[in-house]
Each structure stands twice: as C-alpha cells, then as structure tokens.
C-alpha cells in the first residue's frame, strides 16, 4: 500500500541480513557532523550521494530516491513540524502544483513521529509522490532529528514501495 513504509518504520529495526539484492550502508555521526548516524539497507543498484546534512539514496535515473536528512527539527512535536514544513514549502513555492495527501501521527522506531504525504508537479518527471517520515530519536549520544523522505514519480511509486519498505524496515540510528 502507499502507506506501507510507515508500517515498516513502526517496529524495531531488522538487524538481520538484508534480502538478496540489498546491502547495508552505515553513515556515522562524525561523517555528517551530527549527534547520531544511521544504518539502512538499500538496493544494490541504487547509489548514495551526500546532500547537505544527510544522504540521498537514488534509484538508477535519480528520479526515485530516499533522502535521510539529519537537520534539526524546528518543533519537538512532529505533527506541528510536518504542518509547519507543509505551509513553509508551499509559501516558498518549492513544490509547484502541491497537493496535500495528509499529515498524521506515525510510530517510528517506537517514537512519536509524523507522516506527511503529498504530491507535486515536476517539470521533468511529471506528478511526483512524496512520503516524509519525521521523528526525533533518543540515542546514547543524545537526541537526533531524522527526516526519511521518500520520493518517486507517481507512475513508479508502487514499484518503488518494496525498496522503500526494506529501507524503513532496516533503518536505525547509531551513536
């Protein structure tokens, strides 16, 4: 389902071997200058690039991706944060043709988070679906904000869900 990554992020992270065709990547706190880092499984055919305060894991072609951003959140309540970001990005015009598809509470790794669903119109990729999961993890080194931003052109959204689900099933903060 379009919301399956939310379910996959809800329970404890899978620590076992990823399925065939996937491998783990680990990003340290030192690498990003943050309180915590993370580990996550990604498809073997996808690539990783650093972008700002996080990593972007891209499918071939670069239009489908998972961005894991560690920028500190403005608000401690993730529903308030999601509503704030929705209003801010619309005001700034970042997502032409923005259509809100819902903001709701989400259990992420046992913590209180939020799921922000929306679509927008890209000049090059057409209609793009986005699911942004946000929460603040308590780690041995302190609290760390995470935004797990899943994005794909609408026609490829359903075929991208297995990769997004596996990433959310295996994502875990590390000190």
């Amino acid at each position: 389902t379009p919301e399956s990554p939310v379910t996959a992020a809800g329970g404890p992270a899978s620590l076992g071997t990823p399925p065939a065709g996937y491998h783990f990547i680990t990003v340290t706190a030192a690498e990003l200058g943050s309180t915590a880092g993370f580990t996550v499984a990604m498809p073997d055919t996808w690539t990783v690039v650093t972008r700002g305060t996080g990593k972007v894991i891209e499918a071939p072609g670069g239009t489908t991706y998972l961005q894991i951003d560690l920028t500190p959140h403005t608000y401690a309540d993730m529903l308030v944060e999601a509503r704030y970001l929705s209003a801010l990005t619309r005001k700034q015009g970042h997502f032409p043709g923005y259509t809100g598809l819902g903001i709701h509470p989400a259990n992420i790794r046992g913590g209180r988070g939020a799921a922000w669903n929306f679509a927008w119109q890209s000049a090059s990729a057409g209609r793009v679906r986005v699911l942004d999961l946000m929460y603040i993890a308590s780690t041995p080194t302190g609290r760390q904000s995470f935004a797990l931003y899943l994005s794909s052109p609408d026609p490829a959204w359903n075929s991208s869900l297995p990769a997004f689900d596996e990433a959310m099933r295996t994502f875990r903060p590390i000190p």
Side-chain angles (χ1 to χ4, degrees):
T1 68
E3 285 277 318
S4 60
V6 177
T7 302
S14 174
L15 304 177
T17 304
Y22 288 79
H23 66 280
F24 279 109
I25 63 162
T26 297
V27 179
T28 66
E31 186 178 340
L32 295 174
S34 55
T35 301
F38 61 89
T39 186
V40 65
M42 63 179 265
D44 292 340
T45 58
W46 291 30
T47 57
V48 181
V49 296
T50 301
R51 192 166 298 151
T53 57
K55 295 287 183 176
V56 178
I57 304 167
E58 298 177 337
T63 57
T64 294
Y65 62 90
L66 162 62
Q67 181 171 0
I68 301 175
D69 192 332
L70 286 73
T71 301
H73 293 301
T74 303
Y75 297 98
D77 181 317
M78 293 298 99
L79 285 174
V80 173
E81 179 75 7
R83 291 181 187 115
Y84 164 75
L85 291 173
S86 172
L88 180 65
T89 56
R90 282 182 287 149
K91 180 180 173 185
Q92 293 173 341
H94 287 305
F95 299 109
Y98 174 92
T99 303
L101 301 174
I103 293 173
H104 59 82
N107 173 10
I108 302 173
R109 292 295 167 260
R112 292 181 50 198
W116 171 27
N117 284 284
F118 65 95
W120 66 284
Q121 194 66 33
S122 164
S124 59
R127 181 178 153 95
V128 175
R129 288 280 312 270
V130 174
L131 173 60
D132 192 354
L133 304 178
M134 53 195 81
Y135 85 117
I136 301 174
S138 293
T139 75
T141 53
R143 295 174 55 78
Q144 176 64 60
S145 293
F146 286 98
L148 310 166
Y149 184 95
L150 316 168
S151 178
S152 182
D154 196 41
W157 180 260
N158 287 338
S159 63
S160 302
L161 285 175
F164 290 158
D165 289 348
E166 186 61 22
M168 295 303 93
R169 190 179 72 76
T170 60
F171 170 83
R172 67 183 169 94
I174 58 170

